[in-house]
Amino acid sequence: QEGIASNLRLIPEESAILMDKRLYKIEENRDNFDYIFSTTKVINLIKKGNRAKKYQNFVLKNKSSLSTKRLYITNAKDKSNIISLMKQLPRNASSFSEVEVDSLNRYISSQNNDIGENIILGVFIKNSLKGLIIYEILGNESSTCNFLKVDNSYLGLDLFLLNESAKALVDAGIKYINFEQDMGIQSLRS
């Protein structure tokens, strides 16, 4: 009536099941599926098959200049490193979309990021941040991965960061990772 759309979006499946099918047409949106993995299975999966070779080659090639560090948005140097990484990464459909840039900017601009439980892990090569992953810790031995970004010129960096972050989550008592909403990025679909 007043310019308000007559549809609902992003309704949790638990709510959609309870809705009257005679009154509502319910459709799944493949661009907003969640992917839930066991943290220990993520660690083991990375060390099998083609992934293992890519992971091992990356570690061997960069071992002497490689480090991981927990980052904090409230730390000015960490925040600066994250902003610098965002500016360095190419802006194309396969590596870093404008939606992701906007989302990450809002995230790091928020004043309350470290009030909730978050784990942000960065990978440094020669003391320069080359990748980061941000998890929100939930109350049921679960986490949600909100961001995972790496410099794709380092083949295997993504697997290294996933492996290291999964280990950190296991150490924190986290059993599950929800790789949330793929935002329509085809390569994330299984």
Side-chain angles (χ1 to χ4, degrees), residues 46 51 65 73 77 83 98 134 145 157 172:
I46 289 169
R51 289 179 191 95
S65 62
I73 294 297
K77 185 175 181 182
I83 292 168
E98 289 305 314
I134 301 174
C145 178
L157 175 57

Side-chain angles (χ1 to χ4, degrees), residues 68-117:
T68 58
K69 175 186 168 199
R70 184 149 179 203
L71 304 174
Y72 297 90
I73 294 297
T74 53
N75 178 297
K77 185 175 181 182
D78 289 348
K79 190 173 182 175
S80 174
N81 277 328
I82 292 169
I83 292 168
S84 177
L85 175 67
M86 286 173 39
K87 289 178 181 175
Q88 292 171 25
L89 294 175
R91 302 294 196 270
N92 63 48
S94 64
S95 65
F96 211 116
S97 74
E98 289 305 314
V99 171
E100 291 172 302
V101 171
D102 291 344
S103 296
L104 190 52
N105 274 326
R106 279 193 310 274
Y107 180 84
I108 64 173
S109 297
S110 169
Q111 298 299 307
N112 299 319
N113 283 315
D114 288 321
I115 291 174
E117 276 224 62

Side-chain angles (χ1 to χ4, degrees), residues 27 36 43 95 122 132 137:
E27 298 175 350
I36 299 174
I43 294 167
S95 65
L132 73 110
I137 306 304

Side-chain angles (χ1 to χ4, degrees), residues 7-35:
N7 62 2
L8 301 172
R9 297 185 68 217
L10 302 176
I11 305 296
E13 183 177 4
E14 294 82 9
S15 298
I17 290 169
L18 300 174
M19 296 175 81
D20 186 340
K21 308 302 184 269
R22 296 171 293 165
L23 299 174
Y24 301 97
K25 179 182 176 186
I26 299 170
E27 298 175 350
E28 288 185 339
N29 179 342
R30 288 274 299 152
D31 290 343
N32 292 290
F33 277 24
D34 290 355
Y35 304 92

Side-chain angles (χ1 to χ4, degrees), residues 91-186:
R91 302 294 196 270
N92 63 48
S94 64
S95 65
F96 211 116
S97 74
E98 289 305 314
V99 171
E100 291 172 302
V101 171
D102 291 344
S103 296
L104 190 52
N105 274 326
R106 279 193 310 274
Y107 180 84
I108 64 173
S109 297
S110 169
Q111 298 299 307
N112 299 319
N113 283 315
D114 288 321
I115 291 174
E117 276 224 62
N118 293 298
I119 291 179
I120 306 171
L121 193 66
V123 175
F124 292 79
I125 299 175
K126 296 180 183 171
N127 296 319
S128 177
L129 182 65
K130 297 298 180 184
L132 73 110
I133 193 163
I134 301 174
Y135 293 99
E136 177 183 357
I137 306 304
L138 308 173
N140 54 356
E141 300 179 324
S142 297
S143 64
T144 297
C145 178
N146 292 322
F147 296 98
L148 167 61
K149 284 293 143 198
V150 299
D151 180 338
N152 287 327
S153 66
Y154 293 92
L155 191 63
L157 175 57
D158 54 345
L159 296 174
F160 178 79
L161 184 55
L162 274 173
N163 188 60
E164 293 301 305
S165 65
K167 286 191 234 176
L169 290 172
V170 167
D171 290 346
I174 303 302
K175 294 183 180 179
Y176 303 102
I177 303 170
N178 177 351
F179 285 98
E180 192 170 8
Q181 302 180 10
D182 63 24
M183 294 189 276
I185 301 168
Q186 293 290 327

